[in-house]
Every structure is written in structure tokens, then in C-alpha cells.
């Protein structure tokens, strides 16, 4: 992108409406201004707008435009379009945009990006599309991107930046500084210089603050730090993010199976991983596909949600079968039909609270075999305490509503039992699913709801049948 603007372009920028509103959302006035420039094919106006537009705001703009407007905007901007904006849009929008551009245009745009950002854009495309784009890149860049794409999805190899600064052990501090000053082809952002042996195996690293404070004649090996936190290229990205959080890292070297330095992961990549993993867990708890985006079609969204809804339908029949066992009891007292959803609903919410805490604790490794018994006991006691409080309130309401103290006592006892059950199974179910090497975020919700419904209905109707001596 150009660094300086013509005075006329500066005047155009001054006339552009505000990009964001008070809630950091794209303003309709700005969108309309851009659409008007696209329809008029006013290239200079669009370049003036895009000059100082952050890639995140450009991403928001692309999502606010329709498909044809997006394609025309990129074509009109030409070399002034920053492909980094494609990392800020939904996967569906990104894939549609890339399909609408020629492989040569995409290849040229990706060449200006760091390798980790280029890989992030390419990894959602079909292999044939990726090959067509890579074929139009110079051999060194093509090989570096292909190597990263060969690593498993959601691995450190996919997240790493292949551009880094590595020097041999016999270099001095002065020579290293001169090298960085004189070499143009360096990473845009870096925090440390790596020291490697002739086989490119990692020897250590020198943080920039230590490098700049050291005397020029000192050898790099004399000021290097032993690299305690090293990432394997095959490591899961969630494990890498956890390591960054645990050790307060800003960057970390990535090595292959032979110990050779192949890349570096920086904190900006880890922040993206943390957000993605949190979004994935949140969707999974609700039975929503981890790759579902707001821009997805109705058909795709419906298909991705249907399987867990069908499982939920099956578990609902189990709860209904419990009710059918007490048809005679319900016929003798209609109030039971009025009150029994309350017991199941409150228990279900309590189970969801416990399950959410458990799933998050398992994801962050805060819940383990060492503290599982204590945490389970705590959740059961929390369920008992809240159950007693809510049971007193619900018992009084039922007594006043139906003029029956016996009914108030029955529903109070049933609620306490269901709340204790919610606390127990709300944490046991995620733990058991995790022990089975499955994702507790995906499956826990349906089964916790089933348990609280079954226990709630059975406890309330069963206690009512016993208390009132009904068959």
C-alpha cells in the first residue's frame, strides 16, 4: 500500500463518514459511501478510503457488502487491497471471495503477508485451489507455505511464522546487529534472535533487550538464554496457547521432529487461538458446529445443528416415559402437571451451571484427578445449599397456590433431590466423557439435561405417589 497521499486524496478522506459507531460497529453511512464509490468505479476514492483503514475494519466492511460488491472492491483496489483483511472475515465469506479472484491475484496478495497469515487464508480452500495459487509463487515462498500446510490442522506448524532471524554461535553481538540493520528481508515483527548450530538445531535465543544492552565484541553464545519452552511443530495449538499463558511468553521457537528450527509462534497468533478455542467450546455446549459462521446458508446451518437436536429428541422421550409411569397419579391431582416442569427446569439450569464450570475447567486443565473429588464434593454441596433455599421458597408458593401443605413438602423434597443430582451429574458427566477421550463440550449438555429431567420428574411424581398413598 502507498505510504503518502496526494493532497486531493487527503481531502477525500476528510469527507469520508465515520467508520465505526459508539459500539465499534461499522456505520451504515460509511458502508453506503463505499458502495457509492464502487458503483461509480471511483478507484481513487476507494484507495483513499482504504489507505488508513485497519485490516479489522476492512474485514467488517467486506462482511457488510454483498458478494458482487466485495469482488468489485478488491478488483478496483488492485495492489492497494491488503489481503490481511481476509483473516478478519468469516470462513464462508473468505472462501467465496477467493473463489471469485484469479489464482494469480491471490498469489500476489499473499506474498505480502507473513507465512502464518497466508496459511490461515489458504487452509480452508480445496487442494486443487491451493495448488493453483502456490504454482504462481516463487519457489522459496511456495515451499515454505506448502511445508506449513502439510502439518495437521490446528497444530503449531499451521500457526507458526516461517520467517525468523537465526545466526550461528560464532557471531558476535555487533555482527548480528549490523546484519539486522543491513538486511531488508527481515520479519516485520520479532522479539528475539535465535542461535542455531550448522544443522539448524536450536542452541538458544537472545531477547532483543539483552542483545541491545550487550557489548559488540561479545559472542552470541555468551548472552543467549537456554530455550526452556520449545514448541513442536506437531503440537496442538491449544496446548501451545496454554504454554504461553502459563509462562507469560511473547514468542516461542518451533522445531520439527529432528529438532531443527522451522518457525516461530508469536503472541498475536496465540490470542487468535484462545478466541477460536473459546468460541468452539461455547458453540459445542449448545450443540452448534465448531465451524458454523454467521454468513453460512440456512441449509448448511440447519444440517449442522440437526444431529444434536435429534439426540435431544431421543433423550426427551426417556424423560416422557418417566411421566407415563405416573399417569394415574397425575390424573388424581392436576396440580402435579402444573408444578412438575418447575422441578425439572430449575434442576436443568443448575446442571448447566455446574457443567459449564466443569467443561471450562477441563479445557484449561484446572480440573484433574488430583482435585476432582474435592470439586465434585463442592458442587454437590452447592446443589444441596441452593436446593434447600429454593425448596423453601417453592414449597411456600405451592402451599399458598393449591392450599396444600403436603404438596408443598413433596415438591420441596423433590427439588432438593434434583438440585443435588444436578450438582453431581453436572460435573461427573463431563469428567467421564473426558476420560473416554471425547470432547466434553460437545456431548455433556444433552446428557445433563436428560438426567435432571428424569430425576426431577421421577422424584416429584414418585414422592407424590408415596406421600398421598396413590397406586
Amino acid at each position: 500500500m502507498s505510504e503518502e497521499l496526494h493532497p486531493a486524496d487527503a481531502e477525500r478522506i476528510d469527507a469520508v463518514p465515520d467508520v465505526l459507531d459508539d459500539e465499534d460497529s461499522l456505520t451504515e453511512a460509511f458502508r453506503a459511501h463505499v458502495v457509492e464509490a464502487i458503483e461509480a468505479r471511483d478507484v481513487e476514492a476507494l484507495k483513499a478510503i482504504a489507505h488508513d483503514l485497519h485490516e479489522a475494519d476492512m474485514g467488517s466492511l467486506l462482511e457488510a457488502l454483498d458478494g458482487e460488491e466485495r469482488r468489485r472492491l478488491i478488483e478496483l483496489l488492485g495492489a492497494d487491497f491488503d489481503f490481511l483483511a481476509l483473516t478478519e472475515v468469516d470462513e464462508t465469506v473468505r472462501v467465496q471471495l477467493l473463489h471469485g479472484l484469479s489464482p494469480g491475484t491471490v498469489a500476489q496478495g499473499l506474498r505480502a503477508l507473513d507465512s502464518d497469515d497466508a496459511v490461515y487464508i489458504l487452509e480452508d480452500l480445496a487442494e486443487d485451489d491451493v495448488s493453483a495459487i502456490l504454482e504462481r509463487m516463487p519457489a522459496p515462498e511456495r515451499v515454505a507455505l506448502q511445508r506449513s500446510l502439510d502439518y495437521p490442522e490446528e497444530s503449531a506448524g499451521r500457526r507458526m511464522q516461517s520467517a525468523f532471524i537465526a545466526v550461528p554461535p560464532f557471531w558476535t553481538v555487533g555482527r548480528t546487529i549490523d546484519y539486522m540493520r543491513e538486511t531488508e528481508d527481515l520479519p516485520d515483527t520479532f522479539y528475539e534472535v535465535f542461535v542455531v548450530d550448522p544443522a539448524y538445531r536450536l542452541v538458544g535465543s537472545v531477547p532483543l533487550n539483552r542483545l541491545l544492552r550487550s557489548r559488540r565484541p561479545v559472542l552470541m553464545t555468551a548472552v543467549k538464554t537456554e530455550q526452556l519452552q520449545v514448541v513442536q511443530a506437531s503440537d496442538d495449538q491449544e496446548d501451545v496457547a496454554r504454554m504461553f499463558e502459563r509462562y507469560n511468553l511473547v514468542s516461542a521457537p518451533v522445531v520439527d521432529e529432528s529438532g531443527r528450527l522451522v518457525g516461530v509462534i508469536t503472541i498475536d497468533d496465540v490470542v487468535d487461538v484462545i478466541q477460536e478455542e473459546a468460541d468452539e467450546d461455547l458453540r459445542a455446549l449448545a450443540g452448534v458446529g465448531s465451524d458454523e459462521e454467521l454468513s453460512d446458508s440456512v441449509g448448511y446451518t440447519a444440517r449442522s445443528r440437526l444431529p444434536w437436536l435429534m439426540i435431544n429428541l431421543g433423550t426427551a422421550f426417556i424423560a416422557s416415559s418417566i411421566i407415563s409411569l405416573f399417569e394415574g397419579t397425575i390424573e388424581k391431582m392436576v396440580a402435579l402437571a402444573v408444578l412438575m416442569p418447575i422441578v425439572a427446569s430449575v434442576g436443568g439450569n443448575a446442571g448447566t451451571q455446574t457443567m459449564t464450570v466443569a467443561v471450562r475447567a477441563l479445557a484449561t486443565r484446572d480440573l484433574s484427578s488430583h482435585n476432582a473429588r474435592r470439586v465434585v464434593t463442592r458442587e454437590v454441596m452447592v446443589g444441596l445449599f441452593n436446593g434447600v433455599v429454593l425448596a423453601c421458597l417453592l414449597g411456600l408458593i405451592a402451599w399458598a397456590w393449591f392450599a396444600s401443605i403436603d404438596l408443598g413438602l413433596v415438591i420441596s423434597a423433590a427439588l432438593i433431590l434434583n438440585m443435588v443430582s444436578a450438582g453431581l451429574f453436572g460435573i461427573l458427566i463431563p469428567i467421564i466423557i473426558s476420560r473416554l477421550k471425547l470432547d466434553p463440550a460437545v456431548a455433556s449438555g444433552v446428557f445433563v439435561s436428560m438426567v435432571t429431567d428424569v430425576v426431577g420428574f421421577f422424584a416429584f411424581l414418585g414422592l407424590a405417589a408415596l406421600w398421598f398413598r396413590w397406586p
Side-chain angles (χ1 to χ4, degrees), residues 1 12 21 32 77 83 88 117 171 260 286 342 379 457:
M1 296 178 68
R12 290 177 185 269
D21 57 22
L77 287 176
F83 269 69
E88 302 289 340
D117 294 319
W171 275 26
R260 292 190 298 266
I342 299 176
E379 292 302 324
F457 293 144

Side-chain angles (χ1 to χ4, degrees), residues 337-407:
V338 176
L339 294 174
M340 67 181 182
I342 299 176
V343 178
S345 176
V346 175
N349 287 332
T352 300
Q353 290 176 335
T354 302
M355 178 195 66
T356 303
V357 172
V359 168
R360 188 58 190 153
L362 288 168
T364 58
R365 309 267 177 100
D366 291 331
L367 180 58
S368 64
S369 57
H370 301 292
N371 62 355
R373 178 174 297 181
R374 178 179 60 82
V375 177
V376 170
T377 302
R378 187 198 71 165
E379 292 302 324
V380 170
M381 296 306 296
V382 168
L384 177 61
F385 178 83
N386 287 338
V388 170
V389 174
L390 293 174
C392 293
L393 179 61
L394 180 57
L396 290 173
I397 293 174
W399 180 14
W401 191 353
F402 295 100
S404 173
I405 189 172
D406 290 339
L407 184 59

Side-chain angles (χ1 to χ4, degrees), residues 17-85:
D18 291 337
V19 178
L20 302 177
D21 57 22
D22 294 337
E23 298 179 353
D24 289 334
S25 298
L26 200 73
T27 63
E28 181 58 33
F30 178 74
R31 179 191 174 281
H33 182 79
V34 173
V35 171
E36 181 180 348
I38 292 174
E39 293 176 348
R41 303 187 67 83
D42 191 340
V43 176
E44 295 304 320
L46 292 173
K47 289 183 177 181
I49 292 170
H51 182 268
D52 289 326
L53 198 63
H54 191 273
E55 61 265 17
D57 297 330
M58 177 60 79
S60 298
L61 175 61
L62 290 172
E63 291 184 337
L65 300 174
D66 63 34
E68 181 62 21
E69 290 169 346
R70 295 170 189 151
R71 186 187 61 79
R72 290 171 58 191
L73 172 63
I74 295 176
E75 289 180 349
L76 291 171
L77 287 176
D80 286 81
F81 176 73
D82 187 357
F83 269 69
L84 190 59

Side-chain angles (χ1 to χ4, degrees), residues 55 139 142 180:
E55 61 265 17
R142 179 173 67 249
M180 291 190 295

Side-chain angles (χ1 to χ4, degrees), residues 110-119 140-141 143-145 147-148 151 156-167 179-180 183-194 196 200 250-254 261-269:
L110 295 183
R111 291 187 62 192
L113 304 184
D114 291 335
S115 61
D116 55 334
D117 294 319
V119 168
E141 297 176 24
V143 171
L145 290 178
R147 181 176 59 184
S148 294
Y151 288 110
R158 287 287 185 97
R159 286 294 184 180
M160 71 181 183
Q161 179 180 329
S162 58
F164 52 86
I165 302 176
V167 300
Y179 167 77
M180 291 190 295
T183 305
E184 295 182 359
D185 189 20
L186 292 179
D188 292 334
T189 303
F190 58 94
Y191 304 97
E192 54 193 340
V193 176
F194 300 105
V196 295
Y200 238 72
V250 177
S251 66
V254 182
L261 184 65
V262 293
V264 60
I265 287 186
T266 53
I267 187 63
D268 59 314
D269 302 313

